[in-house]
Amino acid sequence: MAIVAGGCRKKPEPIVITPDIEKSHLQRNHIFGTVRNIQTFTYYLGEDSIPVSDTANIAKVIAKRKADFSTWQRYSADGFLMHYTKFNQNKDTLMHQEYAYNWKAKLVHWEESDSTGAIVTRGKYIYDRNDFLCGEQVFQGDSVVMAFTYTTDGIGNIVKSTQSFGDYSTHTENKYNALGLVEKITEYEPNGKPFKTVKIEYDNYGDEVNRCVYKAGDQMVEYTYNQYNQEGRQIKTIYEDKLHHQKEVTYYADYDSQNNWQTEIKVKDNKIISIRKRKIIYY
């Protein structure tokens, strides 16, 4: 097991850790500030991949090509995702998602439309009398193609979810630490046997550091490590596929005034394989 690092960061006291149940979409994605819009542009280099030592030429590389795809996200002033759109190289819409919330800021409905604007998939969320999430349905047309039922603890954390496709169903169990952060996720096969377990470790500031994925029998199959600097900026992510002996490192750079990265660089076999540029507009 890797050593949990990052606890030496300097942040103003006292340290406030937000439990998972209270996190907004932005907080779950380690994004700071009061965000209005996020735009991203992703470039896959393919045969044009460049050595990791040649980062100075990244601007030149992407200036000569179109983004393979781009995205646009719109948030409310209190951090709730409202719209998400994905575009192709020619800036044509590939898909669009919209999200709706009730007066208690609970997500109640979403819908996804295709390039023609036709709604292809939609979802509905169901809450119990305590306003805890207890169910979800996914529709294509008028047919339910997927359904979820949720069991929650006394504050609304999901401790068990059951996913159903007709007569076929699987379930997942979540365990939380004393700070309300999920620390173990276990997925089960339809016959009730454990299929996969995810164990998560955090630093002293509540930021995820280590994520280990195990098959039944405690064989580690995936490992992810996140590194942060003293200001809480995420600066590097290491991902290892233990089964296929593959490793990918993601570096983050060019931070804005809110400490959010503006450039993401993915490296494999010491070559830059993709670049993502991000622009955030704040309220």
Side-chain angles (χ1 to χ4, degrees):
M1 179 64 64
I3 297 174
V4 178
C8 61
R9 279 188 280 141
K10 297 177 182 178
K11 283 189 176 181
E13 299 292 343
I15 299 170
V16 177
I17 296 177
T18 304
D20 285 341
I21 189 66
E22 298 177 10
K23 288 180 179 177
S24 68
H25 186 272
L26 293 168
Q27 290 172 311
R28 289 194 295 271
N29 287 278
H30 203 76
I31 299 174
F32 306 107
T34 308
V35 173
R36 179 190 293 270
N37 299 327
I38 299 178
Q39 284 183 291
T40 68
F41 302 87
T42 301
Y43 304 82
Y44 295 116
L45 302 191
E47 296 181 356
D48 297 327
S49 61
I50 59 178
V52 66
S53 59
D54 202 16
T55 54
N57 287 321
I58 285 178
K60 294 180 181 178
V61 171
I62 63 177
K64 296 187 295 185
R65 59 195 301 148
K66 293 181 179 180
D68 289 273
F69 70 87
S70 59
T71 65
W72 177 83
Q73 295 165 263
R74 175 67 183 268
Y75 289 85
S76 64
D78 44 5
F80 293 100
L81 179 62
M82 306 299 293
H83 304 279
Y84 173 86
T85 309
K86 185 175 182 179
F87 306 91
N88 65 13
Q89 279 190 328
N90 298 318
K91 300 182 181 180
D92 300 319
T93 298
L94 294 173
M95 56 86 75
H96 176 73
Q97 295 175 336
E98 294 192 7
Y99 301 85
Y101 303 82
N102 63 17
W103 66 278
K104 295 181 179 180
K106 301 287 186 179
L107 180 62
V108 293
H109 177 79
W110 62 266
E111 61 184 32
E112 180 178 320
S113 54
D114 61 16
S115 58
T116 69
I119 297 174
V120 293
T121 311
R122 57 189 175 90
K124 180 176 71 172
Y125 294 86
I126 304 166
Y127 297 87
D128 62 20
R129 62 183 181 181
N130 296 313
D131 286 327
F132 297 160
L133 184 64
C134 62
E136 178 183 355
Q137 294 177 315
V138 179
F139 298 83
Q140 288 182 349
D142 294 326
S143 301
V144 177
V145 295
M146 193 182 307
F148 300 83
T149 56
Y150 300 108
T151 302
T152 54
D153 61 16
I155 61 173
N157 286 315
I158 296 173
V159 295
K160 181 179 179 181
S161 62
T162 301
Q163 182 175 351
S164 301
F165 311 85
D167 295 331
Y168 179 89
S169 66
T170 61
H171 79 275
T172 301
E173 294 179 357
N174 302 324
K175 290 186 178 180
Y176 299 81
N177 63 21
L179 298 171
L181 306 175
V182 63
E183 63 179 1
K184 184 178 180 181
I185 304 168
T186 306
E187 298 180 16
Y188 293 85
E189 298 178 357
N191 61 12
K193 292 183 178 180
F195 166 68
K196 182 173 71 176
T197 300
V198 181
K199 295 181 180 179
I200 305 168
E201 296 175 333
Y202 303 86
D203 63 16
N204 293 339
Y205 301 91
D207 294 323
E208 181 180 320
V209 179
N210 296 316
R211 178 179 288 251
C212 302
V213 181
Y214 301 87
K215 288 179 64 177
D218 289 334
Q219 176 191 3
M220 186 188 294
V221 293
E222 295 178 35
Y223 172 68
T224 305
Y225 167 74
N226 296 306
Q227 184 179 357
Y228 309 87
N229 70 2
Q230 290 186 342
E231 288 74 38
R233 295 173 174 176
Q234 187 173 2
I235 57 176
K236 182 169 69 174
T237 297
I238 300 173
Y239 169 78
E240 293 187 50
D241 181 339
K242 299 286 189 178
L243 280 181
H244 303 95
H245 307 289
Q246 296 183 357
K247 180 178 179 179
E248 186 175 279
V249 182
T250 303
Y251 297 94
Y252 305 95
D254 302 330
Y255 298 88
D256 65 14
S257 62
Q258 299 294 316
N259 276 338
N260 293 311
W261 60 263
Q262 297 179 93
T263 303
E264 175 194 79
I265 304 166
K266 287 189 179 293
V267 176
K268 186 176 181 180
D269 298 327
N270 291 317
K271 289 187 176 181
I272 298 174
I273 59 173
S274 73
I275 301 164
R276 182 162 58 142
K277 301 293 290 184
R278 182 169 74 175
K279 181 180 181 180
I280 301 179
I281 304 299
Y282 301 92
Y283 281 96

